[in-house]
Amino acid sequence: MKKRLIAGDRPTGKLHIGHYVGTLRPRVELQNSYETFVLVADAQALTDNFDNPTKLKDSVTEIMLDYLAVGINPEIVPIGLQSAIIQIPELTSYLANLVSFSRVMLNPTVKDEIKQKDMGNEAPFGFVAYPVSQAADILIVNAEYVSGGDDQVPMIELTRQIARRFNNIYGHVFCTEIEYIKGTFGSLPGTDGAAKMGKSLGNVIYLSDSNDSIREKVKKMYTDPNRLRANDPGTVEGNPVFTYLDAFQEQCGTQILVDELKERYRKGGVGDVEVKKHLTEILINVIEPIRTKREELQNNMDYVKAVLKQGTANWQNQAEITMQKVRNAVGLYSID
Amino acid sequence: MKKRLIAGDRPTGKLHIGHYVGTLRPRVELQNSYETFVLVADAQALTDNFDNPTKLKDSVTEIMLDYLAVGINPEIVPIGLQSAIIQIPELTSYLANLVSFSRVMLNPTVKDEIKQKDMGNEAPFGFVAYPVSQAADILIVNAEYVSGGDDQVPMIELTRQIARRFNNIYGHVFCTEIEYIKGTFGSLPGTDGAAKMGKSLGNVIYLSDSNDSIREKVKKMYTDPNRLRANDPGTVEGNPVFTYLDAFQEQCGTQILVDELKERYRKGGVGDVEVKKHLTEILINVIEPIRTKREELQNNMDYVKAVLKQGTANWQNQAEITMQKVRNAVGLYSID
C-alpha cells in the first residue's frame, strides 16, 4: 500500500517558481509513489487575511490553475478546499486540549511571522492557533509524510507530539511517525537575492508570466554585487542567477552548460548578459508549457471547478472516516 | 416573536441546589417567555477533563435527568449535545480571527480558573481558547440573552465584541446586543459557607439526594461561628442556613416564617436546630418531587436519550442556518 503524503498552499496569490521548485515539482514527482492529498488552505490563510476574503477566494482559482498546469494529476490526487472540510475544525477542537498553551506559543514559525507582520499583541487568536489546526490538516487524513518548506519542520514536530499524546490517552488512532519530505532542491531566493519571494517585494517570477515578462525580470536580476565588468572574476555562490540555474539543471539537462558557465564566471570569462540569456531560455522552457496549459484551463473553468469539488468530496470522506475513529476513541456521549 | 435565550452546563457531575437556584429554576421560569436553547457543553468540559471523557459521558445522562426532573420542557426547549454540533468548532475557527490573542488572555474567568486549577504554563490550548468557542455557542443560535452565573459577564462582553467585529467586516449576521439574564436569586454558598459548591469540597446538596441525606447535610451546615448557645444573639447575614432559607422563600411561600426566624435568631430566641429543621423541610419539599421525577425518568432512559437526540437535531438545524449565513457573509470560495 502506498504511504500517504499531504501538501498544501495558502491561497494568497498566484504561485511562482519558488513554489514550483520548493513544493510543486516535488509533489508532481512524488504523486505516483505516494497517495497524495493536496489542501488549498483558505481557512488558514484567513487567520491573517480575515479582512480580505476576496483575495483568498480569487486565489483559490489561481492556485487550482497552477496545480493542474504543473501536472498535479487530479485523477489520483484529491485537491481539497480546507474551509469546506468542517471535520478539520472539529478535530482541532479535540487536539487543542492535548497541547499546552505555552508549547503553541513557542512555535518559531508563528513567532517569526508575528514579528515579520508586526502583529505584536494584536495577533489574531486564530493566527496564533494555526499550528494546532495545521496538525489537524495532517492528522485528518492520517498522513505519514508532509511535503513543504523548511518552516514545516516545527509544525510536524508539534503534530507528532499531539498525535502521540492522543494515542496515549484515547488509544491508537493516528500514525505518529510523520516525516518531512523535502524537494530535491531547497528554496529559491527572490530575483533581488532576498531569501523569500513575495508579491509585495516585487521579486517574483510567476508560473503565469509571459515570455517577455520573464526576459524583463531576469534582465533585472541581482548577480554578484562586487563585480563591475564582465571580465572581472565573479562569485557563483549566493548569486541568484546561478542558484536559479542550479535549480533547473536536473530538470532541463543543463548540468554541463551550468558547470561551464560557473567556471567561466569565476574566471571573469563570461558577462552577466550571457548568463542571463541562458537562464531566460531555461525559464521559458519550464514556464511556457505551464502557462500554455494554464491558459487552456482558463477556457475550461467548469472542469477546474469540478476537480476542486470532487477533490473536496474525497477529502470529506476521508475526514469523516478519521473523525468516526476519533469520536469513538475519545468516547464522549454518543447521540446515535 | 419571542427573544432567543441560551443556557448550558458543563457535564462534570450531577447538578445540585446551587445550579438549581442559580440557573435551572430561572431557566424553567423563563422557558415560556423566551425561545430557550440549552446546551450540554461536553466539548467545553473536555478542555480541562481531556483525560477523563468517561466522567463527562456519564454526566451527560445525569444532567439530562436533572434537566427533565426540574421541569425543563423538551417540547419547547431543544437540549443539544455540544460535541455533536460540529458547526460550533467551524464557527469558532472564523471567530478566532476576529479577536486578538492578548484580548482572550485577559479574560478574568479563564485567568482565575488557570490559577485555581494550578495549570500555569501547562494550561491546555483548548482551555485557554474556550471563551472563543463559548462565543460560538452563543452566536451559532444567534441568542440575544444568556442565562448563567456572574462568571458569564466577561464572556458575554467578549461575544458582543466579536459579533460586532464580524458584522463590521463581513456584513450583518449576528445580533450584537446580547444581554445577561440573572436569576432572581444570586448564587448559593456551599453547606460549609464556602463561596462555591464543589463535589471535591464535600459541601454540596444534590437534586438527587435522598431525604435522609438532605437531613444529614443540613444538620452539618455551618451557621454563625461566633454563636455558642441557642440564646446568644446570632448573625443572619452571611449565615448559609439563612441564605438557603432566603433562596426558597418566594418559591415555597415561606417569607413570613423566614422573617420571623431571622428576628428571633438575631435576638437569641431560636436555636440552630429549629432553624435547620425548617430548612430541612423546605429542601425536602423542593428536592423530593425532583428526585421522584428523576427516578421515574431513570426507568425510561429511552425517552431521555430520544430527548437529547431530537434536541441536538434541532440545534444542528439552527446551527446550519447560521453557518450558511456566516459562510456567505465571509465569502470564501464556494465549491457548490
Side-chain angles (χ1 to χ4, degrees):
Chain A
M1 217 175 79
K2 286 180 188 170
K3 302 277 189 181
R4 196 170 280 180
L5 177 146
I6 181 178
D9 300 277
R10 299 191 195 196
T12 55
K14 294 187 282 190
L15 299 180
H16 51 62
I17 50 163
H19 296 115
Y20 180 74
V21 167
T23 166
L24 298 177
R25 191 172 63 182
R27 223 177 281 179
V28 173
E29 286 165 5
L30 297 168
Q31 67 184 349
N32 290 306
S33 29
Y34 292 83
E35 186 190 3
T36 303
F37 281 75
V38 170
L39 189 62
V40 182
D42 61 340
Q44 188 186 111
L46 195 68
T47 64
D48 59 336
N49 291 276
F50 57 84
D51 53 356
N52 197 358
T54 307
K55 177 176 89 174
L56 309 186
K57 181 183 177 177
D58 296 344
S59 299
V60 169
T61 304
E62 298 294 343
I63 279 196
M64 285 302 296
L65 293 170
D66 291 325
Y67 282 169
L68 298 175
V70 300
I72 290 176
N73 178 359
E75 299 294 321
I76 54 171
V77 175
I79 305 173
L81 184 69
Q82 192 184 36
S83 63
I85 306 158
I86 74 169
Q87 292 89 350
I88 295 175
E90 184 190 6
L91 179 56
T92 304
S93 77
Y94 288 101
L95 304 183
N97 302 331
L98 305 178
V99 57
S100 75
F101 156 71
S102 52
R103 175 72 180 79
V104 175
M105 298 306 294
L106 283 176
N107 188 295
T109 309
V110 174
K111 276 167 89 174
D112 285 355
E113 284 182 276
I114 288 175
K115 218 169 174 179
Q116 262 174 38
K117 294 175 186 175
D118 206 18
M119 289 173 168
N121 278 335
E122 289 311 301
F125 192 81
F127 183 76
V128 174
Y130 96 71
V132 186
S133 64
Q134 194 162 326
D137 295 339
I138 296 168
L139 297 177
I140 201 84
V141 291
N142 229 330
E144 287 163 87
Y145 292 90
V146 178
S147 163
D150 286 343
D151 54 349
Q152 292 305 307
V153 174
M155 299 291 179
I156 294 167
E157 186 46 41
L158 183 71
T159 306
R160 277 195 210 105
Q161 280 187 17
I162 293 176
R164 277 197 293 264
R165 191 134 190 244
F166 186 99
N167 289 355
N168 283 342
I169 296 176
Y170 303 121
H172 184 84
V173 169
F174 296 117
C175 161
T176 58
E177 295 311 312
I178 304 151
E179 283 176 43
Y180 167 51
I181 294 199
K182 220 173 156 155
T184 45
F185 191 86
S187 58
L188 274 192
T191 55
D192 58 357
K196 273 206 167 185
M197 290 193 190
K199 193 181 177 181
S200 58
L201 302 170
N203 62 358
V204 182
I205 298 174
Y206 290 103
L207 297 175
S208 48
D209 274 350
S210 68
N211 292 353
D212 279 349
S213 169
I214 295 166
R215 280 185 202 104
E216 199 58 34
K217 287 177 178 177
V218 174
K219 209 188 234 175
K220 291 182 185 160
M221 265 182 89
Y222 284 32
T223 55
D224 175 354
N226 298 317
R227 190 172 186 247
L228 299 178
R229 279 170 302 265
N231 53 357
D232 288 346
T235 305
V236 161
E237 288 70 28
N239 182 327
V241 174
F242 281 97
T243 311
Y244 279 44
L245 285 169
D246 282 342
F248 294 100
Q249 63 177 5
E250 198 177 323
Q251 180 180 355
C252 302
T254 49
Q255 199 180 336
I256 295 167
L257 167 73
V258 172
D259 284 351
E260 188 212 316
L261 282 174
K262 283 181 181 173
E263 207 181 315
R264 286 169 58 204
Y265 198 83
R266 287 197 182 98
K267 290 180 181 163
V270 60
D272 281 354
V273 174
E274 189 186 334
V275 183
K276 286 183 171 180
K277 202 188 115 238
H278 288 293
L279 177 59
T280 303
E281 268 172 33
I282 289 166
L283 287 181
I284 288 177
N285 275 342
V286 170
I287 293 176
E288 192 169 44
I290 295 174
R291 191 187 60 236
T292 308
K293 176 82 181 155
R294 223 181 171 280
E295 285 160 0
E296 283 167 30
L297 288 161
Q298 272 179 305
N299 293 324
N300 197 0
M301 285 308 295
D302 285 350
Y303 166 74
V304 176
K305 279 181 192 168
V307 165
L308 185 56
K309 187 168 183 169
Q310 182 58 50
T312 303
N314 293 352
W315 264 87
Q316 287 166 334
N317 288 342
Q318 183 54 52
E320 192 52 32
I321 289 169
T322 303
M323 281 314 298
Q324 279 172 15
K325 289 183 196 164
V326 167
R327 295 178 203 126
N328 280 336
V330 175
L332 289 176
Y333 188 97
S334 167
I335 51 162
D336 297 317
Chain B
M1 218 174 81
K2 286 179 187 171
K3 304 278 189 181
R4 196 170 280 180
L5 177 147
I6 182 178
D9 300 275
R10 299 191 195 196
T12 56
K14 294 186 283 189
L15 300 180
H16 51 61
I17 50 161
H19 296 116
Y20 180 73
V21 168
T23 165
L24 298 177
R25 191 172 62 180
R27 223 177 281 179
V28 173
E29 286 164 4
L30 296 169
Q31 68 183 347
N32 291 305
S33 30
Y34 292 83
E35 186 190 3
T36 302
F37 281 74
V38 170
L39 189 63
V40 182
D42 60 342
Q44 188 186 111
L46 195 69
T47 64
D48 58 335
N49 291 277
F50 56 84
D51 53 356
N52 197 357
T54 307
K55 177 176 87 174
L56 309 186
K57 182 184 178 178
D58 296 343
S59 298
V60 169
T61 304
E62 297 294 342
I63 279 195
M64 285 303 294
L65 293 170
D66 290 326
Y67 282 169
L68 298 175
V70 300
I72 290 176
N73 178 359
E75 299 294 320
I76 54 170
V77 175
I79 305 173
L81 185 69
Q82 192 184 35
S83 64
I85 305 158
I86 74 169
Q87 292 89 350
I88 294 176
E90 184 190 5
L91 178 56
T92 304
S93 76
Y94 288 101
L95 303 184
N97 302 331
L98 306 179
V99 56
S100 75
F101 156 71
S102 52
R103 175 71 180 80
V104 175
M105 298 305 295
L106 284 177
N107 187 296
T109 308
V110 174
K111 278 169 88 174
D112 286 355
E113 283 182 277
I114 288 175
K115 218 170 176 179
Q116 262 173 39
K117 294 174 186 175
D118 207 19
M119 290 172 167
N121 278 336
E122 290 310 302
F125 193 81
F127 183 76
V128 174
Y130 96 71
V132 186
S133 65
Q134 192 162 328
D137 296 338
I138 296 168
L139 296 177
I140 200 83
V141 292
N142 229 331
E144 289 162 87
Y145 291 89
V146 178
S147 163
D150 286 344
D151 55 349
Q152 292 305 307
V153 174
M155 299 292 178
I156 294 167
E157 186 46 40
L158 183 71
T159 306
R160 277 195 210 106
Q161 279 186 18
I162 293 176
R164 277 196 293 264
R165 192 135 188 242
F166 186 100
N167 289 355
N168 283 341
I169 296 176
Y170 303 122
H172 185 83
V173 168
F174 295 118
C175 161
T176 58
E177 296 310 313
I178 305 151
E179 283 176 43
Y180 167 50
I181 294 200
K182 220 175 159 154
T184 46
F185 191 86
S187 58
L188 275 192
T191 55
D192 58 357
K196 272 207 167 184
M197 289 193 192
K199 193 181 176 181
S200 58
L201 302 170
N203 62 358
V204 182
I205 297 173
Y206 290 103
L207 297 175
S208 49
D209 274 350
S210 68
N211 292 354
D212 279 349
S213 170
I214 294 167
R215 279 184 202 104
E216 199 59 35
K217 287 176 178 178
V218 174
K219 210 187 234 175
K220 291 181 185 160
M221 265 182 89
Y222 284 32
T223 55
D224 175 354
N226 299 318
R227 191 173 185 245
L228 301 178
R229 279 170 302 267
N231 53 356
D232 287 346
T235 304
V236 162
E237 288 70 29
N239 182 326
V241 174
F242 281 98
T243 310
Y244 279 45
L245 285 170
D246 281 342
F248 294 100
Q249 61 177 6
E250 199 177 322
Q251 181 180 353
C252 302
T254 51
Q255 199 181 337
I256 295 166
L257 167 73
V258 172
D259 284 350
E260 188 213 319
L261 283 173
K262 284 182 182 174
E263 206 181 314
R264 286 170 58 205
Y265 197 83
R266 287 195 182 100
K267 290 179 182 165
V270 61
D272 281 355
V273 174
E274 188 186 334
V275 182
K276 285 183 172 180
K277 202 187 117 242
H278 287 295
L279 177 59
T280 302
E281 269 172 32
I282 288 166
L283 287 180
I284 288 177
N285 275 342
V286 171
I287 292 177
E288 192 169 45
I290 295 174
R291 191 186 63 236
T292 309
K293 176 81 181 157
R294 223 180 170 281
E295 285 160 2
E296 283 168 30
L297 288 161
Q298 272 180 305
N299 292 324
N300 197 0
M301 285 308 295
D302 285 350
Y303 166 74
V304 176
K305 279 180 191 169
V307 164
L308 185 57
K309 187 168 184 169
Q310 181 58 50
T312 302
N314 292 352
W315 264 86
Q316 287 165 334
N317 288 342
Q318 184 53 54
E320 191 52 32
I321 289 169
T322 302
M323 282 314 298
Q324 280 173 13
K325 289 182 196 165
V326 166
R327 295 177 201 126
N328 280 335
V330 175
L332 290 176
Y333 187 96
S334 168
I335 51 163
D336 297 315

